[in-house]
Amino acid sequence: MAKRIFNFNAGPAALPLSVLEEIQAEFLDYKGCGMSITEVSHRSSWFDEVINDAVLRVKRLLNLGENYKVLFLHGGASLQFTMVPLNLIADDQVADYVNTGSWSVKAIKEAEIIGKKVRVVASSEDRDFNYIPKDIAFDADAAYVHITSNNTIRGTQWRSFPDTGGVPLVSDMSSDIMGRTFDVAPFGLIYAGAQKNLGPSGVTVAIIRQDMLERVPDNLPTMLKYTTYAAKNSMFNTPPCFAIYVLQLVMKWLEETIGGIANMEEINRKKAELLYNYLDESDFYRGTAEKEDRSIMNITFRLADESLEETFIAEALANGLGGLKGHRSVGGCRASIYNASSLEAVQALVSFMAEFERKHG
Ligand SMILES: *Cc1c(COP(=O)(O)O)cnc(C)c1O
């Protein structure tokens, strides 16, 4: 038996053990074809079934109507920072962005690099990005409103989405897609790098509404146009086959083992509550995000005595709890508890934290 730890990495992150075992079992001979899925043509019926099933499962899980397309893209969520404004802001238009941390900052920067006009309508920078701005006034003529639904580094999350008065919402959902239920109707586009909540790195999911596709100008570079991917079932060129295959298995696990996103959300809320309740009761640790805006996916915290943090992270790892170091830009500690991390993992973390507090408190 492989010796595995409880994995709290922020991304790439934990995958369900049963999915890893399934990959292992069929790795050398995929469904009797005598080859690995990493060796077959993306034009083969084997891969066709994989990608079609992946699309169908994403649609079912998110309850998407006929007016949404599911695309598998290259270049990470980071390339979407460019593709979104390139495809969706016309020359005479301005897009509204809400700045809730490093990933929003990057999204804004990339739009400006390609000469698009953006307006930062709200920001939480004044308090170290530890909250989500409220009561924002949006421009009714904006091309779209861009938000980062979950701020992986700062540990904040939009609890409910802003009312934009009909302007399409565009969201970077890299670190919370499929972690909770929500109504997709106000969203023109949702994108997510797969390596947090959906699968391995190497593929980015985009969920795009028909009216957004219709905006895409013809004269863009082929590989940077959403329409190229939409017209060819994400196979204009060779797609990231293995990453899509693993994503398909994770979607199957989410549907068939967990029973869908509502069940997943219930488990996720239990996990987050367990950890937050412990942080709230302790004087030894403290959460860094405002209570009303804190994330159920990335729990960021500090030790009251910050000089103990390095020891905390090292001792945790020695006890089989990995990935608890905060993002290098902010320091501190962070437990990323995405869909694939279990309640058992969070229970083990809380026990360790209590033990560490007894020893060092
Ligand atoms: C991880 C992350 C990204 C960057 O994703 P890449 O796939 O590495 O480009 C962007 N946005 C958010 C919210 C993230 O968590």
Side-chain angles (χ1 to χ4, degrees):
M1 267 293 279
K3 185 174 175 293
R4 293 178 52 78
I5 64 169
F6 289 121
N7 178 354
F8 298 98
N9 279 324
L15 288 167
L17 180 59
S18 62
V19 166
L20 296 176
E21 287 168 341
E22 205 172 344
I23 296 164
Q24 186 178 46
E26 62 189 16
F27 191 65
L28 296 182
D29 177 11
Y30 182 72
K31 299 198 187 306
C33 79
M35 297 172 280
S36 166
I37 191 71
T38 60
E39 298 175 292
V40 304
S41 166
H42 59 293
R43 309 288 177 203
S44 68
S45 59
W46 296 293
F47 189 72
D48 226 29
E49 269 177 38
V50 167
I51 196 166
N52 290 336
D53 189 59
V55 167
L56 271 179
R57 288 183 186 279
V58 170
K59 284 188 171 168
R60 272 203 302 266
L61 279 161
L62 290 173
N63 218 354
L64 301 179
E66 281 301 306
N67 55 337
Y68 284 92
K69 278 235 160 39
V70 176
L71 311 178
F72 297 119
L73 312 176
H74 308 266
S78 298
L79 185 59
Q80 295 312 298
F81 299 159
T82 302
M83 276 178 73
V84 167
L86 187 67
N87 282 259
L88 304 182
I89 310 179
D91 286 341
D92 58 346
Q93 276 185 313
V94 179
D96 284 355
Y97 277 70
V98 182
N99 180 8
T100 53
S102 323
W103 297 116
S104 310
V105 168
K106 289 186 177 170
I108 293 161
K109 183 178 164 208
E110 294 301 316
E112 288 171 342
I113 285 175
I114 57 168
K116 296 290 183 177
K117 289 189 221 50
V118 301
R119 195 170 74 118
V120 179
V121 285
S123 167
S124 49
E125 194 172 6
D126 59 333
R127 281 191 273 133
D128 252 358
F129 297 115
N130 73 348
Y131 71 104
I132 299 290
K134 315 281 182 315
D135 303 319
I136 305 166
F138 299 103
D139 185 343
D141 295 324
Y144 57 79
V145 172
H146 182 281
I147 61 170
T148 312
S149 58
N150 184 73
N151 298 280
T152 325
I153 296 173
R154 300 291 180 166
T156 62
Q157 185 175 31
W158 292 77
R159 288 290 167 96
S160 59
F161 296 115
D163 180 0
T164 60
V167 176
L169 268 172
V170 170
S171 183
D172 177 356
M173 289 201 186
S174 293
S175 51
D176 70 348
I177 189 168
M178 305 232 182
R180 57 170 167 175
T181 59
F182 67 97
D183 176 17
V184 296
F187 291 88
L189 174 67
I190 291 164
Y191 62 90
Q195 68 273 22
K196 275 101 186 202
N197 234 356
L198 302 175
S201 63
V203 64
T204 304
V205 174
I207 293 150
I208 186 164
R209 209 169 58 197
Q210 190 57 37
D211 56 312
M212 298 291 107
L213 273 177
E214 283 161 14
R215 285 189 190 186
V216 177
D218 285 334
N219 62 348
L220 296 181
T222 310
M223 290 303 289
L224 296 179
K225 279 196 292 200
Y226 291 116
T227 40
T228 300
Y229 297 82
K232 300 285 184 186
N233 199 23
S234 303
M235 292 191 286
F236 173 82
N237 74 329
T238 317
C241 297
F242 189 69
I244 293 170
Y245 156 72
V246 178
L247 180 142
Q248 179 222 357
L249 295 182
V250 174
M251 297 300 97
K252 189 169 87 160
W253 167 82
L254 190 47
E255 278 197 296
E256 295 174 11
T257 305
I258 300 297
I261 296 182
N263 287 3
M264 191 74 257
E265 177 172 0
E266 210 180 300
I267 298 168
N268 286 339
R269 291 203 182 280
K270 244 185 232 155
K271 281 151 46 184
E273 201 180 322
L274 183 64
L275 196 40
Y276 281 128
N277 283 346
Y278 182 72
L279 289 175
D280 290 346
E281 282 165 15
S282 162
D283 297 323
F284 188 79
Y285 305 94
R286 66 179 169 85
T288 62
E290 285 293 331
K291 273 188 192 178
E292 60 173 2
D293 297 321
R294 57 197 185 182
S295 168
I296 61 169
M297 304 265 88
N298 307 97
I299 282 82
T300 50
F301 59 97
R302 307 288 318 214
L303 272 60
D305 176 359
E306 294 181 4
S307 70
L308 275 175
E309 284 170 352
E310 209 173 308
T311 312
F312 171 80
I313 292 160
E315 277 191 27
L317 185 59
N319 282 275
L321 305 156
L324 292 167
K325 198 169 161 52
H327 191 268
R328 61 188 185 283
S329 62
V330 296
C333 307
R334 169 175 59 177
S336 296
I337 51 172
Y338 301 123
N339 288 356
S341 72
S342 60
L343 183 60
E344 189 197 356
V346 179
Q347 285 163 340
L349 174 59
V350 170
S351 301
F352 168 77
M353 288 171 77
E355 182 57 35
F356 190 87
E357 181 173 349
R358 263 195 300 279
K359 239 168 59 186
H360 298 273

